[in-house]
Amino acid sequence: MLKKILGGLGSSEKFEIPAHDSLLFKDIKWDRLPRHVAVIMDGNGRWATGKGLLRTAGHTAGVKTLKNILKTAIGLKLDALTVYAFSTENWKRPRPEVDFLMQLFSDYLKKELQEMHEDNVQIHFIGRIDGLPASLQKQMREAETLMQHNTGVKFNVAANYGGQDEILRAVQSLAAKVAAGELRPEEITEQAIDDALDTRGNLPVDLVIRTSGDERLSNFLLWQSAYAEFYFTKVNWPDFTPADFVAAMVDFAGRNRRFGGLKNQ
Ligand code: FPP
């Protein structure tokens, strides 16, 4: 039973928001949790091909993992969970895989919207949303509107997202304000840039998790991760369990964050 709770959660089993005092959270140091966790959900393709399945089966399995990790983030009372669903570079993939992913995002919203709303989640999409299919854009906007007054975890889904592209768009919007005489160059502060990014209103990223063995940022949240800790695991995203997520929290709690200074924060 313990093994089942801690590690063996099969993707087909229903997973509820874990209670604060659940066995899953027994090693958690509640006063040393990250507030904003970002996840690069990598390895769907490798998971699938390793099982002799089509890559798309890996993405389908990845949705179930995402649902469980969101529930875990809610149980941990994280302030924000930001996930990398589709990068500005992912358009280079074969057309059928791209189409499949767009349909998967749409199906996910249809199926999970109500439950996320009941779980008090505030969903937000970051990236060049206007480059996505029109019907998906509409669903995204409707989901954001539905959950805009919720007060629980901020769930940011990066779609058609690139960190450099986000900074570029922020700089362009600030430059336009300067050109219009609404802003003076010296008023372009770090806070002003923060407020011009898609993630405005979120705390800086404390922890970036990347699954499946690669150890790079891949253009994800470049500005926001300036002082983030990194946690890499070889586990492919579809196999990543709530217990694996908790292990990353426990690892983070043991880190000595100095933010350029000398003392432990
Ligand atoms: C990376 O694995 C994963 C993606 C590019 C897609 C991520 C999408 C999901 C996890 C589906 C759920 C998302 C939402 C928002 C419903 P990869 O295909 O690059 O794997 P590989 O590196 O093994 O090829």
Side-chain angles (χ1 to χ4, degrees):
M1 184 62 188
L2 180 64
K3 185 171 177 292
K4 188 171 162 186
I5 296 168
L6 293 180
L9 232 146
S11 55
S12 60
E13 291 169 67
K14 189 158 168 56
F15 183 66
E16 303 292 342
I17 296 172
H20 186 279
D21 58 356
S22 74
L23 217 45
L24 179 66
F25 293 159
K26 71 177 179 22
D27 295 325
I28 288 289
K29 291 189 175 66
W30 291 94
D31 57 339
R32 290 189 64 84
L33 276 178
R35 291 170 305 171
H36 186 169
V37 176
V39 186
I40 302 175
M41 311 181 286
D42 200 12
N44 291 348
R46 275 165 281 176
W47 178 89
T49 49
K51 291 182 179 311
L53 302 169
L54 292 175
R55 289 176 52 80
T56 47
H59 298 314
T60 304
V63 174
K64 290 177 182 153
T65 301
L66 179 58
K67 185 171 175 182
N68 290 344
I69 298 306
L70 177 59
K71 293 266 183 196
T72 310
I74 297 168
L76 288 166
K77 297 197 187 331
L78 297 187
D79 190 76
L81 177 73
T82 302
V83 298
Y84 210 176
F86 194 86
S87 76
T88 46
E89 288 74 38
N90 284 153
W91 297 106
K92 293 178 202 152
R93 294 185 177 209
R95 185 65 198 259
E97 183 171 339
V98 171
D99 289 348
F100 184 90
L101 279 168
M102 296 301 146
Q103 188 58 50
L104 196 67
F105 299 152
S106 169
D107 293 347
Y108 173 78
L109 281 179
K110 262 186 223 138
K111 192 161 166 284
E112 302 297 336
L113 191 70
Q114 206 48 47
E115 192 172 328
M116 281 194 277
H117 186 36
E118 282 162 21
D119 287 343
N120 198 21
V121 168
Q122 311 175 58
I123 202 167
H124 186 57
F125 296 92
I126 61 170
R128 275 193 192 253
I129 302 307
D130 59 3
L132 295 169
S135 58
L136 182 58
Q137 285 182 46
K138 185 165 174 282
Q139 273 184 287
M140 288 172 159
R141 295 300 168 221
E142 284 170 0
E144 286 179 336
T145 304
L146 176 72
M147 293 183 232
Q148 64 185 332
H149 300 302
N150 288 351
T151 54
V153 66
K154 297 181 187 77
F155 179 42
N156 305 306
V157 180
N160 198 17
Y161 176 88
Q164 290 181 336
D165 177 70
E166 182 192 28
I167 293 169
L168 172 72
R169 287 184 285 110
V171 168
Q172 284 176 342
S173 73
L174 291 169
K177 284 187 184 163
V178 172
E182 294 164 16
L183 190 73
R184 284 177 288 130
E186 58 272 26
E187 288 174 328
I188 301 179
T189 58
E190 285 183 13
Q191 186 62 49
I193 295 174
D194 258 337
D195 293 343
L197 292 170
D198 297 346
T199 50
R200 71 188 70 88
N202 283 268
L203 293 165
V205 173
D206 294 308
L207 176 67
V208 177
I209 298 173
R210 182 170 188 146
T211 58
S212 156
D214 288 330
E215 301 189 354
R216 52 177 172 262
L217 199 46
S218 298
N219 204 10
F220 192 39
L221 300 173
L222 299 179
W223 175 274
Q224 300 87 338
S225 300
Y227 281 99
E229 298 290 321
F230 290 84
Y231 183 87
F232 301 109
T233 169
K234 291 199 181 341
V235 175
N236 287 320
W237 178 249
D239 285 332
F240 189 76
T241 62
D244 292 325
F245 191 68
V246 166
M249 302 302 120
V250 171
D251 187 89
F252 175 87
R255 307 263 182 116
N256 179 10
R257 301 183 83 201
R258 292 189 296 278
F259 298 94
L262 297 176
K263 290 243 169 66
N264 196 353
Q265 303 276 324

